[in-house]
Amino acid sequence: NSSGTDTKLLIGSIVLNQDSSCYDVIDGQQRLTTLHLINAYLNKENLNTKPKITKCNLDFCDLRPDYNRCMEVIYQDKVAVINDEEMKMLPESLMSVYNAIPTIFKEVSDKYNYLNESELAEYFMEKVVVLRIFVPSGTDLNHYFQVMNMRGEQLEKHEILKAELISKLDEDKRDDFAKQWDECSAYFSMQRLDPAYLDSKSDSNSEKLQD
């Protein structure tokens, strides 16, 4: 119903590492790229309710200059005027998503007939939320990146909470907190514990209570 437009929508998380004046995106590249494509479309259709971001602030790695070029063409609204040869040089994955956005907006507007395209754009800009998670300094980024990509899934809610709490601690306390968190997690996960371990913890807790 229409009251749903008052509710914020969390679409996931992005994991960042601060590097001088920039942020390295450890996880969430596809999400950020898609958001940029939608933002560029809203700019083109004059539907953006926020001060316009007129240039993509994502810088893809040196191995993907075609991605940087593609985002430049899209943000400058030159898709319709570039020649066929240059169009072939743009990554099909980005162009197919960008070209699908008008259809998706129309389908969503038709499905929820209380939302016209302007209202949908406003909802996107005002209510769609992405959670930013910053990895602690000193993190082995290569290992972290490999783990995140092997998972093939979003962080669980408890993992997001753990990362948020750790980020608020002084560096010398983070390892200890993480170990205590993992111990508590193991304690309450029956799948990871044998009965003897659980009994020993229960006995220990009982003794403390009696004292």
Side-chain angles (χ1 to χ4, degrees), residues 42 47 49 105 116-126:
L42 297 182
L47 293 170
T49 59
F105 259 67
N116 59 40
E117 199 170 49
S118 296
E119 291 169 328
L120 184 57
E122 181 180 4
Y123 179 83
F124 174 79
M125 297 303 299
E126 303 289 342

Side-chain angles (χ1 to χ4, degrees), residues 15 26-29 135 139-156 159 162:
V15 181
I26 309 302
D27 185 60
Q29 295 92 335
V135 298
T139 299
D140 184 341
L141 297 181
N142 288 329
H143 175 70
Y144 193 101
F145 184 79
Q146 290 173 356
V147 170
M148 292 300 297
N149 278 277
M150 284 190 296
R151 291 167 57 99
E153 58 187 22
Q154 274 288 292
L155 291 172
E156 298 289 343
E159 294 171 315
K162 177 184 177 182

Side-chain angles (χ1 to χ4, degrees), residues 29-43 48 53-60 71 74-75 94 97-98 101 124:
Q29 295 92 335
Q30 293 179 344
R31 187 169 293 103
L32 278 176
T33 304
T34 303
L35 291 174
H36 262 289
L37 293 173
I38 295 174
N39 181 72
Y41 167 74
L42 297 182
N43 285 351
N48 205 326
I53 300 174
T54 57
K55 182 179 180 181
C56 181
N57 60 6
L58 284 177
D59 186 20
F60 296 90
M71 296 304 284
I74 288 172
Y75 261 89
L94 292 189
V97 172
Y98 181 70
I101 292 172
F124 174 79

Side-chain angles (χ1 to χ4, degrees), residues 68-85:
N68 287 320
R69 174 57 180 159
C70 186
M71 296 304 284
E72 179 184 354
V73 168
I74 288 172
Y75 261 89
Q76 293 179 0
D77 193 17
K78 293 183 176 179
V79 174
V81 299
I82 62 173
N83 59 50
D84 292 341
E85 200 62 36

Side-chain angles (χ1 to χ4, degrees), residues 10 16 19 23 27 34 75 82 94-96 111 120 124 126 128 170 180 195-196:
L10 175 65
L16 305 169
D19 180 16
Y23 297 103
D27 185 60
T34 303
Y75 261 89
I82 62 173
L94 292 189
M95 291 306 304
S96 61
K111 181 177 180 181
L120 184 57
F124 174 79
E126 303 289 342
V128 172
D170 294 334
Q180 292 185 45

Side-chain angles (χ1 to χ4, degrees), residues 134-196:
F134 296 94
V135 298
S137 61
T139 299
D140 184 341
L141 297 181
N142 288 329
H143 175 70
Y144 193 101
F145 184 79
Q146 290 173 356
V147 170
M148 292 300 297
N149 278 277
M150 284 190 296
R151 291 167 57 99
E153 58 187 22
Q154 274 288 292
L155 291 172
E156 298 289 343
K157 290 182 175 64
H158 66 87
E159 294 171 315
I160 294 174
L161 176 60
K162 177 184 177 182
E164 283 290 287
L165 292 174
I166 287 178
S167 70
K168 304 300 181 184
L169 295 175
D170 294 334
E171 290 188 27
D172 59 340
K173 297 180 181 178
R174 290 175 179 175
D175 286 343
D176 186 52
F177 176 87
K179 290 176 182 177
Q180 292 185 45
W181 179 285
D182 292 341
E183 184 175 343
C184 290
S185 178
Y187 180 74
F188 288 107
S189 175
M190 297 299 294
Q191 295 178 350
R192 295 174 57 188
L193 291 175
D194 58 40

